[in-house]
Amino acid sequence: MSLHEKYLPQYDFNEVHRIEVKAPADRIFEAIMDLDVRKSRLIRILIGLRGMKPGDSGGFQNLQKMGFTILEVMPMHEGIAGLVGQFWKPSGNIQKLSAEEFVSFAREGFLKATWNFRITASGEGSHTVETETRVQCIGPLARKKFRRYWLLVKPFSGIIRKEMLKIIRHQAGHG
């Protein structure tokens, strides 16, 4: 069971991407933790268009520099981060929260989002690496505003996630 079920079991929007990686789980997990998105020019451009900076390398933990809260990490299996804000606004109106505050946050007009990377054995030295993004809209106005925003952003979000998975596969030494 994914950590999404613990942190955001109910959601309005989601996006899932996966890739097969022929490498041990410990190397894949290390690649996720050390993921350097600066290795992809395309990711740098797309993140920059949103007004965010990919920051220094540092992988999953680096998400904190982008406003995410690291909710939980299960070594060799899964890591999940959360973000609360109003993503359709230029600033994103990102709320700095602890993991406990994230779970209980319910302010009308905001969004709660989770983003994970999960490793699952798929046989013969291969693993499936999956990333899922979930978004819960708190109230009808937030849902309406996010729906419009998501129509524009979803294709680019998918490109970023797919590029990240390719970097993870390469960094893990996909054989």
Side-chain angles (χ1 to χ4, degrees):
M1 180 168 71
S2 168
L3 289 173
H4 280 294
E5 300 311 315
K6 178 177 179 180
Y7 291 99
L8 200 65
Q10 297 177 352
Y11 54 94
D12 299 293
F13 300 87
N14 80 316
E15 178 179 17
V16 179
H17 300 281
R18 57 184 63 86
I19 196 167
E20 287 297 313
V21 181
K22 191 169 182 73
D26 61 336
R27 284 209 328 248
I28 297 168
F29 188 77
E30 183 179 317
I32 291 168
M33 292 296 119
D34 294 337
L35 177 63
D36 186 354
V37 297
R38 296 174 306 164
K39 290 183 177 185
S40 169
R41 183 171 184 250
L42 183 56
I43 291 176
R44 289 193 319 268
I45 290 168
L46 292 173
I47 289 175
L49 288 173
R50 178 60 181 99
M52 301 172 85
K53 294 181 182 177
D56 300 326
S57 62
F60 190 76
Q61 302 297 330
N62 191 43
L63 290 174
Q64 290 177 308
K65 294 177 185 175
M66 296 170 57
F68 285 85
T69 299
I70 303 302
L71 299 172
E72 189 170 342
V73 174
M74 296 172 59
M76 306 316 143
H77 180 64
E78 185 175 8
I80 189 166
L83 188 66
V84 172
Q86 295 170 316
F87 308 153
W88 58 86
K89 292 185 175 183
S91 70
N93 199 12
I94 305 302
Q95 306 295 297
K96 290 284 192 183
L97 304 171
S98 67
E100 296 78 24
E101 291 169 327
F102 177 88
V103 171
S104 63
F105 189 91
R107 193 176 318 150
E108 183 87 17
F110 279 81
L111 307 170
K112 288 171 65 169
T114 53
W115 181 19
N116 78 337
F117 285 95
R118 187 166 79 155
I119 304 165
T120 308
S122 56
E124 306 213 10
S126 289
H127 294 83
T128 301
V129 180
E130 178 180 279
T131 180
E132 180 179 4
T133 302
R134 290 185 178 181
V135 178
Q136 179 186 52
C137 303
I138 306 171
L141 183 59
R143 189 173 294 105
K144 179 181 176 182
K145 289 186 177 203
F146 184 73
R147 182 175 283 120
R148 280 189 242 146
Y149 170 81
W150 193 234
L151 282 172
L152 295 172
V153 171
K154 184 178 179 179
F156 303 107
S157 173
I159 291 169
I160 289 171
R161 303 306 188 266
K162 289 173 188 174
E163 283 290 305
M164 287 178 165
L165 289 171
K166 288 177 188 174
I167 293 169
I168 291 167
R169 181 169 59 187
H170 177 76
Q171 284 183 200
H174 177 74

